[in-house]
Amino acid sequence: MKMKASLVLTTLLAAAVGFFIGVSFPVDITPKLQCGILPWSSSFSRNTMLGRLWGAPFRNSSSGTPNATGSEPLVEVATARNPVEGAERRLPPGIVVSESDLHLRRLWGSPKQDSPARKYLLALAVGYGERANVNATVHKFSDNFDIVLFHYDGRTTEWDQEFEWSKKVTHVSARKQTKWWFAKRFLHPSIVAPYDYVFVWDEDLGVDNFAAEPYLDIVRRHGLEISQPGLDVTKGPAPTYYITARKNGSEMHKTDAGGEHCSDVGKRPCSGFVEVMAPVFSRDAWRCVWHMIQNDFVHAWGLDSNFWRCVDDPEEQIGVVDAQYLVHHAVPTLEGQVKARQYEEMFAFRSRVSRADKEVANRTSIQN
């Protein structure tokens, strides 16, 4: 009799302990199984003692593989996760900042009183020898622009000594690198996300007949996602593509221009085309173009022939602004040393694009 009483007492005590634990660590159990895994609420997590003890064997299991008996599914202890992919999922979503900018901020005062990032971004690849022309270019861009200078000659401090505006812009230096090498590494879409438009320009452009804000007014009015100022053919060398030549008396043009390099303006690259010399991208278009820039190529020859891929309607959303135009001074930079590589990269890029198009076409045909 004493043994039976002791057994009953032990059973009641175990039940009481179990009830106490159940009350202390509440969980919501979803009655439906999903892929063989029973979801649990985040309250039953590694942050509770019971959660740590119970969840340890199963925490990283999400495959739904049966256990050793082959009869019961694994139980996953789910915690609240950031919906984004990657290591940042470990952070609470409210603290994740996935975008940045190139706006300089002061080291003193309250962060709440800092000026915000500008509306637009100008990126220039520059050498100190072209500082006079760069200075003229910078003055054509208003205070609505953040500016970044990519220095390919390693000379940065001299700019501050000569130009007051230089102290207010971002400087990035890497010797003997091109504009597109810099762009791939420092103009990631998450970095330029605050800017409505991004100007990715060469340093050797005459800007006497150009102003940035009126230019963007035209771009908006005509719904251009990718554009460039027209080139003045009366000064400087003839443009490589006559579709980029300025048309007198026109505000802007799209596909109605041609020449010896564009015998058929209805076919790309002559329809919906601007050159890599002085392109202007909307935020959305740049996100696409950035992904198309090849990391191991630096000259980007052939990239402009594929800009059309980065808009929905190339013939309508890519254009040349005639009312705000430039002169291309065509200043050579290491030209003799790089010409062979430029052509090799161009042919290799064409091959990659063609191969990628074929892969997509093959997948599409299989799916259909």
Side-chain angles (χ1 to χ4, degrees), residues 49-232:
M49 181 178 294
L50 187 58
R52 287 193 293 271
L53 295 174
W54 175 254
F58 311 110
R59 185 167 294 122
N60 294 321
S61 176
S62 58
S63 62
T65 305
N67 62 12
T69 65
S71 59
E72 294 182 5
L74 291 177
V75 177
E76 180 181 71
V77 179
T79 58
R81 287 188 175 183
N82 194 316
V84 298
E85 298 293 335
E88 66 271 26
R89 71 182 184 276
R90 300 186 180 97
L91 298 173
I95 198 62
V96 172
V97 179
S98 60
E99 298 174 350
S100 187
D101 54 63
L102 289 166
H103 185 63
L104 299 183
R105 287 169 171 78
R106 58 188 183 170
L107 301 180
W108 59 90
S110 171
K112 296 179 181 179
Q113 297 176 344
D114 287 352
S115 62
R118 310 303 188 191
K119 293 177 62 177
Y120 318 114
L121 179 68
L122 168 65
L124 288 168
V126 303
Y128 190 63
E130 286 298 304
R131 61 190 180 279
N133 200 69
V134 172
N135 178 54
T137 299
V138 168
H139 281 94
K140 293 291 184 173
F141 289 80
S142 70
D143 290 339
N144 284 326
F145 284 81
D146 278 333
I147 298 174
V148 56
L149 299 187
F150 297 136
H151 298 271
Y152 58 77
D153 61 356
R155 300 180 66 178
T156 57
T157 56
E158 295 97 323
W159 293 78
D160 282 2
Q161 297 168 5
E162 193 163 348
F163 305 111
E164 189 64 27
W165 55 260
S166 176
K167 302 172 184 177
K168 302 176 183 178
V169 308
T170 301
H171 297 264
V172 179
S173 179
R175 292 179 181 274
K176 294 186 178 181
Q177 300 302 311
T178 69
K179 176 177 70 175
W180 297 101
W181 182 93
F182 283 109
K184 186 65 174 178
R185 286 150 184 83
F186 300 101
L187 297 183
H188 187 279
S190 294
I191 297 296
V192 304
Y195 306 108
D196 293 343
Y197 293 94
V198 182
F199 291 63
V200 186
W201 279 20
D202 291 350
E203 62 183 337
D204 59 346
L205 303 172
V207 292
D208 290 345
N209 297 290
F210 175 85
E213 295 277 5
Y215 176 91
L216 288 178
D217 289 341
I218 297 173
V219 165
R220 288 193 191 89
R221 187 159 57 249
H222 292 275
L224 301 180
E225 294 291 309
I226 302 177
S227 64
Q228 76 161 77
L231 298 179
D232 186 353

